[in-house]
């Protein structure tokens, strides 16, 4: 006699982890949308990649030092970002500096992880994200980090915008472009730190760039573009999360795929409206 045993997952358990994932994803979308606008305006997509790749080195150093992973990620991401700002234009072009730091930080991070004693760390969650396993305390941490990024952007919005559009005008207005660059680097580091569990270090730059690029099709002002980008990023996260759960596929790539589809659809819609 063959007995078939079936197991079911309680509906309330599904609801709990989906709600946690949705709340965390919503926070990341609201933060990456406006921040991504500055990445697009400044053509800093590769800069975001460098900071995100440095997150793996931050994870390894945090585990070796036995401190919280987010502390290590923020520290290393800020150091890499500031190194790019200091070195660019001195001996090598900015893109060359970014390439060296991005790939070097990732490589050193992978080597450092392999040196950690004990059970081997599974890097998949950090490289590609694993939003469905996020815990309640992590949701609070994500919202705190996202709120800090949004607060920084609101506080320095005029200075960041003026420096982005015309650095000379910013200097004439009494602004210090270096300070604005440091604020932007801090925002990128915070976003990378709180979103690495959700979207993954290899895909964070995509969530920064694609929603902002999609919002460009309809936005008429910088503020309008930032709001549209936040809405598109949040929608992409929620759609990608739903697709990940329904199709049993990785959550990080699903979120990026959703944002790419929205980008194409909005681009086609914008072209139709202009004809």
């Amino acid at each position: 006699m063959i007995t078939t045993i079936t197991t079911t997952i309680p509906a309330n358990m599904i609801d709990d982890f989906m709600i946690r994932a949705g709340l965390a994803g919503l926070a990341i979308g609201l933060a990456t949308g406006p921040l991504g606008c500055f990445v697009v305006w400044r053509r800093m997509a590769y800069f975001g990649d460098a900071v995100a790749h440095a997150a793996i080195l931050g994870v390894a150093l945090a585990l070796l030092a036995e401190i919280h992973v987010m502390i290590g990620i923020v520290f290393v991401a800020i150091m890499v970002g500031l190194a790019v700002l200091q070195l660019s234009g001195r001996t090598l072009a900015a893109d060359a500096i970014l390439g060296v730091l991005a790939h070097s930080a990732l490589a050193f991070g992978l080597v450092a992880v392999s040196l950690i004693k004990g059970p081997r760390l599974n890097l998949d969650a950090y490289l590609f994200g694993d939003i469905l396993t996020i815990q309640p305390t992590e949701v609070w941490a994500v919202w705190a980090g996202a709120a800090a990024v949004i607060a920084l952007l609101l506080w320095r919005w005029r200075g960041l915008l003026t420096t982005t559009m015309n650095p000379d005008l910013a200097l004439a207005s009494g602004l210090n472009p270096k300070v604005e660059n440091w604020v932007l680097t801090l925002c990128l580091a915070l976003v990378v730190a709180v979103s690495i569990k959700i979207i993954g270090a290899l895909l964070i730059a995509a969530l920064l760039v694609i929603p902002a690029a999609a919002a460009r099709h309809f936005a008429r002002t910088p503020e309008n573009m930032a709001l549209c980008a936040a809405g598109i990023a949040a929608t992409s996260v929620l759609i990608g999360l739903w697709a990940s759960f329904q199709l049993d596929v990785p959550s990080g790539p699903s979120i990026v795929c959703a944002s790419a589809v929205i980008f194409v659809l909005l681009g086609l819609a914008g072209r139709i409206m202009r004809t």
Side-chain angles (χ1 to χ4, degrees):
M1 175 182 285
I2 299 176
T3 303
T4 301
I5 299 176
T6 59
T7 59
T8 58
I9 300 176
N12 61 332
M13 185 182 297
I14 297 176
D15 292 342
D16 287 345
F17 79 75
M18 287 297 290
I19 290 173
R20 290 196 299 269
L23 288 173
L26 184 63
I28 292 303
L30 294 177
T32 56
L35 182 59
C37 290
F38 287 102
V39 172
V40 170
W41 290 331
R42 295 187 178 207
R43 299 179 180 178
M44 293 173 58
Y46 209 10
F47 184 90
D49 256 338
V51 174
H53 287 175
I56 300 301
L57 179 58
V59 170
L61 294 179
L63 294 175
L64 288 171
E66 297 183 351
I67 59 176
H68 197 281
V69 169
M70 283 192 179
I71 296 175
I73 293 174
V74 171
F75 174 76
V76 173
I78 290 176
M79 291 300 100
V80 169
L82 293 180
V84 173
L85 294 177
Q86 293 297 321
L87 295 174
S88 295
R90 294 191 175 184
T91 56
L92 292 173
D95 58 345
I97 293 292
L98 287 169
V100 171
L101 289 177
H103 300 302
S104 298
L106 180 59
F108 277 110
L110 294 174
V111 171
V113 166
S114 68
L115 296 176
I116 297 174
K117 296 181 179 180
R120 184 58 59 89
L121 177 67
N122 181 13
L123 281 178
D124 286 352
Y126 294 106
L127 291 173
F128 304 106
D130 195 5
I131 190 174
L132 297 180
T133 63
I134 196 166
Q135 300 300 311
T137 54
E138 293 174 317
V139 175
W140 286 108
V142 168
W143 270 99
V149 170
I150 294 171
L152 279 171
L153 291 177
L154 289 174
W155 175 46
R156 304 299 305 177
W157 178 263
R158 188 55 54 188
L160 285 169
L161 189 60
T162 304
T163 302
T164 298
M165 301 304 176
N166 193 328
D168 293 334
L169 178 60
L171 283 172
S173 303
L175 297 170
N176 188 343
K178 287 186 177 180
V179 172
E180 308 306 329
N181 290 333
W182 291 343
V183 170
L184 196 60
T185 299
L186 177 59
C187 288
L188 280 169
L190 286 173
V191 161
V192 168
V194 299
S195 62
I196 190 171
K197 184 70 178 292
I198 294 172
I199 193 69
L202 298 183
L203 298 171
I204 292 172
L207 195 62
L208 285 167
V209 173
I210 297 176
R216 225 172 186 176
H217 293 301
F218 298 96
R220 297 185 180 277
T221 65
E223 292 77 12
N224 184 244
M225 181 172 167
L227 291 174
C228 290
I232 293 170
T235 302
S236 300
V237 170
L238 295 179
I239 293 175
L241 175 61
W242 174 83
S244 173
F245 178 72
Q246 293 293 326
L247 302 176
D248 192 22
V249 293
S251 55
S254 297
I255 292 170
V256 175
C257 287
S259 63
V261 171
I262 292 175
F263 172 80
V264 172
L265 293 177
L266 290 180
L268 292 174
R271 180 169 297 182
I272 292 173
M273 292 174 61
R274 288 192 295 269
T275 58

